[in-house]
Amino acid sequence: MNTDLAHKNFGLYLYGIFPDVIPETLEIKGLDGKPVHSQVVDGFTFLYSQACQEKYLASRRNLLAHERVLEQTMHEGFHVLLPLRFGLVVKDWETIMSQLINPHKEQLHKLFEKLAGQREVSIKILWDAKAELQAMMESNHELRQQRDNMEGKKLTMEEVIQIGQLIESNLQARKQAVIEVFTRELNPLAQEIVVSDPMTEEMIYNAAFLIPWDSEPLFSERVEAIDQKFGTRLRIRYNNFTAPYTFALLDS
């Protein structure tokens, strides 16, 4: 870290907003190793540290430091929070009043009510597309026969498109069948669900669930059971402890 920057104060780096007062005894370190403090502004408790930079690079180290502050606070029992986006630096608390609290006060209260007693968990499903394609061709005699009949022939563009679309539609149906197992088992446990676009070519499902805090063990058991059912066919990434970014969005 640049020692010259470490002694400069560029304002306040904000991590999240809580409805409860956060005691200073938590002794959490934030970005740049700065101690994290809490400040009550018009009834809202903000976690912050002194900013040593005007703008923070979204590096892995900085992102993890930001997340760690929120997760440590949640581990201390402060489960209801509105996480703020990474890199938010403000000059003073008057800026927070004028730009955040005054225009969004009612909505902030509604978000706290929505999140009370709830937690966010997320599921990402990945598979090996080549292995799935091979398995699909082996199990679908008619489709395999059509493909084999075309081998060695000079195909028209129409024929190429037709067989491509046929393979794609069958692969999509195979993918949807996997997703339906997850949604059938997990959706009934959720108060709200947000499905996002896959992040990679191998990812076939990416969803966040807002569930009652105490029902996470049951949710986890169902994820484990599904994982056992599919075996090595899928790779499942399950995050059972995260700040509720997906469900704490302010309307623009």
Side-chain angles (χ1 to χ4, degrees):
M1 180 175 63
N2 188 315
T3 54
D4 292 333
L5 288 177
H7 296 291
K8 292 183 179 180
N9 181 5
F10 289 93
L12 310 167
Y13 183 93
L14 305 181
Y15 300 92
I17 316 172
F18 294 76
D20 304 308
V21 176
I22 308 295
E24 292 290 320
T25 54
L26 292 187
E27 297 184 353
I28 298 174
K29 297 292 185 180
L31 269 73
D32 302 312
K34 291 293 185 180
V36 174
H37 305 286
S38 65
Q39 175 73 31
V40 179
V41 182
D42 197 23
F44 298 98
T45 299
F46 288 80
L47 280 190
Y48 75 99
S49 57
Q50 293 298 323
C52 297
Q53 303 174 46
E54 285 184 288
K55 186 176 181 180
Y56 281 87
L57 178 68
S59 64
R60 176 176 172 79
R61 179 181 179 181
N62 286 342
L63 290 169
L64 288 176
H66 181 99
E67 291 296 321
R68 194 180 305 117
V69 168
L70 297 175
E71 290 180 6
Q72 284 185 258
T73 309
M74 292 171 67
H75 274 299
E76 292 294 331
F78 298 92
H79 297 156
V80 183
L81 77 151
L82 303 180
L84 295 170
R85 70 177 187 272
F86 170 82
L88 182 57
V89 177
V90 298
K91 292 183 178 180
D92 48 40
W93 297 114
E94 286 73 20
T95 303
I96 287 295
M97 278 296 301
S98 63
Q99 296 185 13
L100 177 61
I101 295 180
N102 287 341
H104 300 290
K105 186 173 185 178
E106 183 178 350
Q107 192 178 0
L108 291 171
H109 282 300
K110 287 182 178 179
L111 285 173
F112 279 135
E113 291 175 6
K114 168 186 171 180
L115 296 174
Q118 308 293 318
R119 68 192 296 172
E120 178 174 330
V121 297
S122 64
I123 292 283
K124 293 177 174 60
I125 309 171
L126 300 95
W127 72 3
D128 185 328
K130 290 183 179 179
E132 285 295 322
L133 179 59
Q134 180 64 30
M136 180 188 73
M137 299 305 294
E138 291 175 357
S139 63
N140 191 323
H141 174 75
E142 182 180 350
L143 182 60
R144 186 173 69 253
Q145 189 67 44
Q146 284 185 263
R147 182 200 62 181
D148 293 345
N149 289 340
M150 291 182 172
E151 289 186 357
K153 295 182 179 180
K154 187 175 181 180
L155 303 178
T156 65
M157 182 60 67
E158 184 179 345
E159 288 173 325
V160 171
I161 294 173
Q162 182 181 12
I163 189 64
Q165 290 177 337
L166 193 58
I167 291 173
E168 179 61 29
S169 64
N170 277 271
L171 193 61
Q172 185 63 36
R174 193 176 178 89
K175 180 187 300 183
Q176 191 58 39
V178 171
I179 294 171
E180 285 176 0
V181 173
F182 284 83
T183 57
R184 183 173 64 248
E185 293 295 323
L186 301 179
N187 285 15
L189 298 179
Q191 305 294 317
E192 192 173 327
I193 304 156
V194 173
V195 179
S196 301
D197 292 334
M199 302 166 67
T200 66
E201 288 186 4
E202 289 193 326
M203 187 178 296
I204 63 172
Y205 188 61
N206 179 18
F209 302 79
L210 188 66
I211 64 174
W213 193 269
D214 295 335
S215 71
E216 193 284 324
L218 175 59
F219 195 96
S220 181
E221 286 177 9
R222 292 196 180 181
V223 172
E224 180 65 27
I226 298 171
D227 189 28
Q228 293 294 324
K229 176 178 180 178
F230 284 102
T232 59
R233 183 181 171 192
L234 304 177
R235 300 195 308 280
I236 303 173
R237 296 177 184 171
Y238 173 50
N239 188 347
N240 70 340
F241 195 85
T242 183
Y245 284 98
T246 309
F247 302 101
L249 300 177
L250 286 171
D251 295 333
S252 57

